[in-house]
Amino acid sequence: MRIARVIVDVPSRETDRPFDYLVPERLAEWVETGSRVAVPFGGRTLQGIVLGSAEEAEVDRSRLKPIADVLDAVPPLSEELVEIGRWMSRRWLCPLTVSLQAMLPAALKGKTEKYISPAPDAAWTVLERSVYADFLHALESGGPLKLSQLLQQHPERADAVKQWLKQGKLEERQKVEDRLSVKTVLTVFAPPEAALRDALAAIPARAAKQRELLAYLLEHPEPIAQAALAEAAGTTTAAIRALADKGILEVKAVTAERDPYADRHFAPSAPLPLTPAQREAFAPIAEAVERRAHETFLLHGVTGSGKTEIYLQAIDRALSQGREAIVLVPEIALTPQMVERFKSRFGARVAVLHSRLSNGERYDEWRKIREGRAQVAVGARSAVFAPFARLGLLIIDEEHETTYKQEESPKYHARDVAVMRGRLNGAAVVLGSATPSLETYGAAIGASPGFGDRDEAVRPVYIPLPERVADRPLPRVSIIDMREELRLGNRAMFSRALADALRTRLERGEQTVLLLNRRGYATFVMCRSCGFTATCPHCDIALTYHRGSQNLRCHYCGYAEREPDKCPSCESPHIRFFGTGTQKVEEALAETFPGIRVIRMDVDTTTEKGSHERWLTEFRERRADVLLGTQMVAKGLDFPYVTLVGVLAADAALRLPDFRAAERTFQLLTQVAGRAGRHELPGEVIVQTYEPEHESIAAVEHHDYRGFTGRELGHRQALGYPPYGRLLTLTLSHEQVPLLLSMGQTFATRMRERAAAAGVRGDDSSSDRAAEVLGPVPSPIPRLKDRYRFQCMVKYRGDVDARAWAAETLKELAETAKRHGVQMSVDVDPQMML
Ligand code: ADP
Ligand code: ZN
Ligand code: ZN
């Protein structure tokens, strides 16, 4: 490569294009597509990614600058991933560097470091020589010093350094460095036994420590970490160094892997003989894997129908062909049982990627994949970018989960990325769920357009798995009308039915999962005299009450204030917190059932690393009667003694201003119901609600996915919502409202003009093409961190390229936005309307 096309890491729309650089001779061997490089850019040295080579430079060759450095021996991105990155930035309208960076582990997000060294011809004054003697000596003898480190250790030297740089006595050089490096451990290598004996004989008796050390190594000749050896042999590192200096021992820095599962044992598990229903579902998937053909499947199996066992065996197929597999799970920290099942089946061939790992741990897991030492990646959303070279299978479990859509830029959906990688690799894609999203299900049964990109719409092959394994029945579901309870004088949190059922479980020593549906139902503070509610002064959203610290906190910006003892507005003392938090449920449980053992899992009890796993282990070992929690108890858990699932406030999220509210409620209730009776003991589910008639709740009673979905698809079609139409939102934020309004209006007007030019109308229900531009209106969160937010929404359907219009319009607005500091953020196919 003579000239490389590089995308420089400046995430702005103006610089969102590749720049050409010369490849110097010394780096020619190393620069490839996907290489991470350091390049000079606007007076700085920045990180960039090589997109490919250029035959002819776009500008005069003599004006090109050379690449300063290559940052990795093996390019972190393959050609395939670079292509995925390009596609992502078109698909979700984000700068290319943003989509490329999203595929790299955080440890590889290079930062620019400045180094200083004395200029060769620097003429130091006598005064400088005497005042800064030590410093100058260090500079001259120790080579370039890292500026940030120097200023941290000696802030008093900042002025002198600045002046010397100006005078040209010091030179500055910039380097791009990794935030984190490979971890190394000093390791001691002993010589062969005979040499060791000779050495031992030659050491004088007074060097007792050294003798002990060699004696220990005779017994334990394998390489050992220096620190561990010193401890095991009861000596010091000084003794080890002494022997190393004599050339008897060798001490080398060895890369050490930070293995987050190092101290865990996974009992091996063999494949289970598939049931006839599983075999039927498995056959087309296995066939696609064997043909090495890209195909997308929707595996629609009720909870406990044996989907995971099918995933495991499909992976086995891919591995036996020398190919690799990715498994995505919604939030891996919440589903330790999934990790366990994959580790048990495939052992060390599994790399685990999730957000609870430290950057270093994640980097090491990532390297196992890149270097071909792992063949299966299990992880949350971003594991879809696992850098495999021979991908044969991609699985997305619980494909309907919202966590697969990233809410910050790049606002990609892992499902679409998986399908694209499947295409590029000739790999099979399996989307599994008990409650598939309407987009996937509608496309699979042919009731709605395909999902994904307009010109690449995906229609998965539909594979139903309607029965649980081993004829286990689905649990019986009862819907309890809480209004009726109130009429009969029960003001408690638990209906009589739920209280009775709980008591029975306690008597029988069985377990209960209690879900408190709390989305949109935070514990907020309200004055009962005047209606005042405490809101964040920066974000315009209700503050949440935290009992532990007795303060009110903003979940968006972290603002906190003390719990008020009287109303700040009317001074009434009748101010209290409303809404049912998990803590209140815990208290009510303790009151109603003295001695009950409850594990509470919510954001407050699970911030600590590994805490989920600890709680879940405790529950599995039956050291608690009830597992109480928010959404996080609904997913993936499989405990044999859970025979009761209770849902409090099932309808809490139904009134949220989101057209998917009903779908989400149905999915959540079905998922949590699926936690009951998964093994020999039959299960029961009790759902408490104030809206038993609502179809998303009523349908849960009969596990009626098809009925619910049929009706819901009808509503969506009538209103032009996904999966029948598409959405695109633009959010603008700034400190001043008038500016936002005028920019929002410009966006809306230009979009309408583009629609008109394309002959598309917004209100035309008779046409199969339409595009409607709504707004600008205040966003559902109207202010965040002191910035006001307005949004425009484009609702379109049919053969309409509203995304291209938006891309052009954003380009036109970019300059104005930059000048005024207005942030523009576009969301293509948004998942969260809040
Ligand atoms: P899902 O992923 O659909 O919820 P799982 O794969 O977790 O279902 O299966 C549910 C339960 O049935 C698990 O305990 C699993 O070990 C068991 N199981 C799955 N397949 C079989 C099989 N073919 N034979 C016996 N038990 C099975
Ligand atoms: Zn008041
Ligand atoms: Zn706030």
Side-chain angles (χ1 to χ4, degrees):
M1 217 184 270
R2 314 290 289 276
I3 300 170
R5 208 142 263 186
V6 176
I7 191 93
V8 182
D9 189 17
V10 186
S12 86
R13 292 191 189 275
E14 291 96 83
T15 50
D16 187 27
R17 65 181 184 84
F19 292 86
D20 288 347
Y21 287 90
L22 289 175
V23 180
E25 199 58 46
R26 75 191 156 88
L27 298 179
E29 285 283 306
W30 301 94
V31 176
E32 295 171 56
T33 298
S35 289
R36 210 160 51 102
V37 292
V39 291
F41 189 86
R44 292 185 293 163
T45 302
L46 296 177
Q47 175 173 313
I49 302 280
V50 176
L51 291 185
S53 69
E55 289 303 317
E56 273 315 312
E58 284 170 350
V59 297
D60 183 8
R61 235 192 123 121
S62 62
R63 285 176 45 209
L64 290 187
K65 294 195 179 110
I67 289 177
D69 216 346
V70 178
L71 302 177
D72 319 87
V74 179
L77 296 181
S78 59
E79 281 189 37
E80 183 233 336
L81 285 174
V82 169
E83 188 170 340
I84 290 283
R86 288 175 183 257
W87 167 79
M88 278 171 65
S89 72
R90 293 192 301 273
R91 170 79 178 82
W92 288 286
L93 299 182
C94 61
L96 181 48
T97 187
V98 172
S99 56
L100 292 173
Q101 291 295 328
M103 303 185 207
L104 296 176
L108 291 186
K109 301 214 164 103
K111 62 171 188 249
T112 302
E113 280 291 351
K114 293 179 177 168
Y115 283 84
I116 51 167
S117 53
D121 53 354
W124 304 101
T125 63
V126 177
L127 186 65
E128 283 168 341
R129 279 252 170 243
S130 71
V131 174
Y132 294 101
D134 291 353
F135 182 28
L136 290 179
H137 177 72
L139 266 176
E140 280 163 351
S141 61
L145 292 183
K146 200 185 268 192
L147 189 58
S148 60
Q149 229 164 40
L150 175 75
L151 295 183
Q152 205 174 17
Q153 284 159 5
H154 300 282
E156 76 283 359
R157 289 175 184 166
D159 286 339
V161 169
K162 215 185 273 170
Q163 198 145 35
W164 291 338
L165 277 168
K166 217 184 277 164
Q167 294 167 350
K169 290 179 176 173
L170 288 183
E171 286 178 345
E172 181 189 283
R173 196 165 301 145
Q174 297 185 10
K175 258 184 82 177
V176 176
E177 291 183 352
D178 289 345
R179 278 167 207 275
L180 240 158
S181 49
V182 173
K183 186 179 162 193
T184 58
V185 172
L186 288 176
T187 304
V188 180
F189 294 82
E193 191 180 331
L196 206 52
R197 287 194 192 284
D198 290 350
L200 187 53
I203 304 251
R206 65 193 145 76
K209 286 246 184 286
Q210 296 182 19
R211 293 185 60 92
E212 272 166 44
L213 228 151
L214 293 180
Y216 178 86
L217 286 173
L218 266 174
E219 298 278 308
H220 312 271
E222 57 286 344
I224 178 172
Q226 177 173 286
L229 174 60
E231 194 178 321
T235 68
T236 58
T237 48
I240 299 173
R241 301 249 44 121
L243 287 169
D245 288 343
K246 288 182 198 156
I248 296 169
L249 298 179
E250 196 176 354
V251 181
K252 283 195 295 200
V254 170
T255 35
E257 217 117 78
R258 287 157 279 220
D259 180 355
Y261 295 92
D263 52 356
R264 291 276 304 277
H265 175 71
F266 298 97
S269 82
L272 298 169
L274 296 180
T275 65
Q278 279 174 318
R279 269 209 304 276
E280 205 171 308
F282 177 66
I285 299 170
E287 199 254 344
V289 169
E290 251 147 47
R291 262 189 310 128
R292 302 177 179 241
H294 165 60
E295 188 128 40
T296 302
F297 300 93
L298 170 58
L299 180 57
H300 180 190
V302 296
T303 52
S305 58
K307 295 185 293 294
T308 309
E309 186 59 37
I310 293 178
Y311 302 155
L312 290 164
Q313 301 200 11
I315 293 170
D316 209 27
R317 239 357 119 81
L319 294 183
S320 65
Q321 298 203 320
R323 302 229 283 169
E324 299 145 335
I326 295 176
V327 185
L328 300 187
V329 294
E331 174 45 81
I332 206 159
L334 306 183
T335 50
Q337 287 186 323
M338 280 297 262
V339 174
E340 217 170 279
R341 287 177 76 175
F342 285 89
K343 282 265 186 189
S344 294
R345 191 69 56 90
F346 303 114
R349 308 179 77 179
V350 179
V352 181
L353 299 162
H354 67 80
S355 58
R356 293 279 172 134
L357 300 182
S358 70
N359 282 344
E361 288 170 335
R362 207 159 19 177
Y363 178 41
D364 288 349
E365 293 291 295
W366 182 88
R367 283 194 303 126
K368 276 191 211 161
I369 299 169
R370 184 72 182 123
E371 293 164 11
R373 286 177 288 125
Q375 289 78 36
V376 182
V378 181
R381 180 178 59 228
S382 64
V384 77
F385 302 120
F388 284 123
R390 289 174 300 273
L391 204 48
L393 177 64
L394 297 102
I395 293 166
I396 304 192
D397 189 35
E398 314 283 10
E399 69 87 31
H400 62 279
E401 283 289 340
T402 51
T403 54
Y404 290 126
K405 173 78 159 51
Q406 177 151 297
E407 291 299 323
E408 64 267 10
S409 190
K411 300 186 179 181
Y412 69 93
H413 201 302
R415 184 170 58 209
D416 290 13
V417 177
V419 171
M420 199 42 148
R421 290 201 76 184
R423 276 199 182 133
L424 295 179
N425 287 282
V429 177
V430 179
L431 310 173
S433 175
T435 51
S437 65
L438 293 196
E439 278 89 341
T440 312
Y441 177 74
I445 64 164
S448 65
F451 69 82
D453 220 350
R454 193 171 56 101
D455 354 307
E456 301 157 345
V458 185
R459 284 198 177 281
V461 175
Y462 185 62
I463 305 181
L465 207 53
E467 308 283 339
R468 281 188 162 181
V469 169
D471 294 329
R472 283 169 205 151
L474 282 167
R476 185 160 51 83
V477 178
S478 327
I479 310 282
I480 304 295
D481 185 348
M482 292 304 277
R483 295 168 306 190
E484 190 65 18
E485 292 288 314
L486 207 58
R487 260 197 295 280
L488 295 175
N490 177 14
R491 292 174 185 284
M493 204 176 277
F494 310 112
S495 59
R496 290 156 307 152
L498 182 53
D500 288 348
L502 254 166
R503 197 164 293 117
T504 315
R505 295 311 176 293
L506 290 173
E507 283 162 14
R508 288 198 219 138
E510 294 171 6
Q511 293 179 298
T512 301
V513 168
L514 271 187
L515 167 78
L516 179 66
N517 187 5
R518 230 183 61 156
R519 194 165 162 252
Y521 204 96
T523 47
F524 58 101
V525 169
M526 188 170 128
C527 169
R528 285 198 289 179
S529 306
C530 76
F532 166 89
T533 52
T535 52
C536 173
H538 309 286
C539 303
D540 278 352
I541 64 156
L543 294 171
T544 304
Y545 179 66
H546 286 251
R547 173 163 301 182
S549 50
Q550 296 206 333
N551 61 22
L552 306 178
R553 253 184 265 161
C554 170
H555 273 190
Y556 287 92
C557 74
Y559 168 85
E561 65 181 40
R562 277 197 57 79
E563 169 193 21
D565 47 17
K566 58 179 193 280
C567 171
S569 171
C570 74
E571 311 227 314
S572 154
H574 298 294
I575 184 158
R576 50 163 288 193
F577 69 93
F578 271 79
T580 312
T582 41
Q583 288 170 330
K584 273 184 86 177
V585 181
E586 192 178 12
E587 285 167 17
L589 280 171
E591 226 167 80
T592 320
F593 308 99
I596 194 169
R597 297 168 304 165
V598 180
I599 290 177
R600 176 163 66 90
M601 260 184 33
D602 58 24
V603 282
D604 291 338
T605 64
T606 52
T607 41
E608 212 179 296
K609 196 173 155 177
S611 50
H612 288 98
E613 297 202 12
R614 261 204 322 281
W615 292 130
L616 294 178
T617 306
E618 209 166 289
F619 190 60
R620 175 167 16 189
E621 290 170 357
R622 298 171 78 192
R623 283 184 272 150
D625 309 302
V626 174
L627 177 65
L628 161 69
T630 49
Q631 271 71 343
M632 56 179 84
V633 301
K635 294 168 198 164
L637 308 180
D638 186 5
F639 300 112
Y641 290 94
V642 172
T643 57
L644 174 65
V645 166
V647 180
L648 308 173
D651 37 55
L654 274 180
R655 294 287 163 248
L656 292 176
D658 186 332
F659 71 92
R660 289 191 180 90
E663 181 185 355
R664 300 259 156 79
T665 297
F666 177 79
Q667 285 165 344
L668 178 66
L669 296 183
T670 306
Q671 288 293 333
V672 72
R675 300 311 116 214
R678 294 171 62 85
H679 295 258
E680 276 74 41
L681 299 168
E684 175 182 12
V685 181
I686 294 178
V687 176
Q688 299 190 166
T689 176
Y690 289 93
E691 291 186 65
E693 321 70 30
H694 196 283
E695 45 192 43
S696 68
I697 292 173
V700 175
E701 184 170 0
H702 301 110
H703 307 282
D704 187 14
Y705 176 85
R706 281 179 52 183
F708 168 73
T709 310
R711 285 187 294 275
E712 189 64 19
L713 281 172
H715 298 319
R716 300 277 182 90
Q717 186 160 27
L719 296 169
Y721 278 122
Y724 296 94
R726 290 175 174 273
L727 299 176
L728 180 154
T729 54
L730 172 73
T731 303
L732 299 162
S733 75
H734 193 267
E735 288 87 355
Q736 288 162 25
V737 172
L739 191 57
L740 290 174
L741 271 175
S742 94
M743 278 197 69
Q745 246 131 25
T746 310
F747 176 82
T749 308
R750 300 263 167 90
M751 289 296 284
R752 286 188 193 110
E753 286 166 6
R754 294 200 148 95
V760 182
R761 301 227 322 252
D763 51 0
D764 193 351
S765 60
S766 65
S767 169
D768 53 6
R769 316 167 70 213
E772 198 177 351
V773 185
L774 309 165
V777 293
S779 297
I781 300 162
R783 193 162 54 129
L784 201 58
K785 298 178 187 166
D786 284 325
R787 294 171 72 95
Y788 291 94
R789 293 150 48 90
F790 274 74
Q791 73 175 31
C792 293
M793 179 152 88
V794 187
K795 201 168 141 191
Y796 60 105
R797 64 173 191 268
D799 170 28
V800 166
D801 200 354
R803 205 178 49 191
W805 308 340
E808 288 165 29
T809 310
L810 286 178
K811 226 175 260 166
E812 291 166 9
L813 293 178
E815 216 253 322
T816 318
K818 192 175 176 192
R819 187 153 28 95
H820 295 289
V822 175
Q823 266 174 24
M824 303 196 292
S825 153
V826 63
D827 196 347
V828 179
D829 301 333
Q831 283 290 316
M832 302 293 260
M833 306 312 292
L834 293 176

